[in-house]
Amino acid sequence: MSGPILVTRHDGWAEIRIDRAAKRNAMDRASRQGLLAAFEALRGEVRAIVLTGTGTAFCAGMDLKEREADRAAGIEGAGDEWIAVNMAIRAHPAIFIAAVNGLALGGGATLLNVCDIAIASTEASIGCPEMGFATYPGMAGPAIQLSGISRKRAAWLVLTTNRVDGATAERWGLVTEVVAPDALLPRAAEIARQVARFDAVALEQSKKALDRIPAFITDWQEAMDHGQMVNLTIRAHTTAQAEGSARFAAGIKNPGQGV
């Protein structure tokens, strides 16, 4: 795949790289469409996806110059398109690992928070500049709060425009680990290879369960019951897959009989 989104396939996992270094990997229309196309192309093919940026930025948010030009031309929809990209990550069966190599501002903070796992470089810088434009970070704000950090820490990012570095982000729970810059992609690849060894259905269903508890299910009994239902779903798929394989094998051994 060419253009602003580069996809590199590996055994069971893939790397998606935002390649707009000159624009600090800001999300223009081509990038948003490219991400959606990449997600769809990898659906069912890989079990883990590493998402990173080129140069000194992970993602500096929306391409404001393009958005201003669009609005001047009476074109809207960039916000909805960006929401669709982030929701596609949550709905995707693969596990997403953000490799935060540098600036993650506004939409970049949203992007790292919708990923399942986030590894940050010590050179990462995460923040929400929107208040400086008299605007609430309409996607980054909710994504930060849904990440599980405290209200006061979320308020620090939303209300002050101050940024936090990788070490602070790890301490706050915004990222999973912080590593040296040259260790970032090797560490993300290591995690992706580990995840890619696991059962695809178990990964997908577990990802869904992590979203539902405690976002929708907060009662202990209901949560435990839901956990049992998740495993029933996984076992049902595994059983159906095994039975299908057995029928296929029987058909090969006895080609004259229907399978």
Side-chain angles (χ1 to χ4, degrees), residues 20-223:
R20 299 189 76 216
K23 298 292 185 180
R24 300 194 300 179
N25 300 321
M27 283 287 113
D28 64 348
R29 182 170 295 103
S31 298
R32 295 190 295 270
Q33 293 174 350
L35 284 175
L36 288 173
F39 298 162
E40 191 58 32
L42 295 171
R43 179 179 291 273
E45 180 183 337
V46 301
R47 301 179 186 185
I49 294 173
V50 172
L51 186 59
T52 193
T54 299
T56 60
F58 173 67
C59 173
M62 298 287 279
D63 188 322
L64 297 182
K65 287 187 177 180
E66 181 189 68
R67 200 168 190 186
E68 288 174 6
D70 281 352
R71 284 174 170 166
I75 301 171
E76 291 291 345
D80 290 339
E81 290 175 4
W82 185 229
I83 289 174
V85 169
N86 287 279
M87 292 302 95
I89 291 175
R90 296 310 319 140
H92 203 281
I95 304 305
F96 278 72
I97 302 160
V100 187
N101 53 299
L103 288 175
L105 304 179
T110 309
L111 196 61
L112 81 88
N113 276 299
V114 297
C115 287
D116 301 290
I117 297 169
I119 309 300
S121 160
T122 52
E123 295 183 354
S125 182
I126 301 164
C128 296
E130 287 86 348
M131 191 58 63
F133 303 100
T135 303
Y136 169 69
M139 287 163 268
I144 286 169
Q145 289 188 266
L146 286 173
S147 72
I149 71 172
S150 72
R151 183 189 182 281
K152 285 187 170 51
R153 284 174 172 171
W156 180 258
L157 290 166
V158 170
L159 301 178
T160 69
T161 73
N162 290 334
R163 303 174 188 177
V164 296
D165 60 15
T168 302
E170 182 187 25
R171 189 171 70 250
W172 284 10
L174 281 169
V175 302
T176 316
E177 291 182 12
V178 60
V179 298
D182 60 354
L184 179 66
L185 289 179
R187 178 57 175 145
E190 179 184 12
I191 296 169
R193 287 193 297 269
Q194 178 183 0
V195 169
R197 293 198 298 265
F198 300 136
D199 179 79
V201 175
L203 289 170
E204 180 181 7
Q205 293 301 320
S206 296
K207 177 175 178 173
K208 290 179 179 179
L210 285 165
D211 277 349
R212 290 192 62 79
I213 304 169
F216 299 104
I217 300 172
T218 57
D219 175 76
W220 278 89
Q221 182 65 55
E222 188 179 358

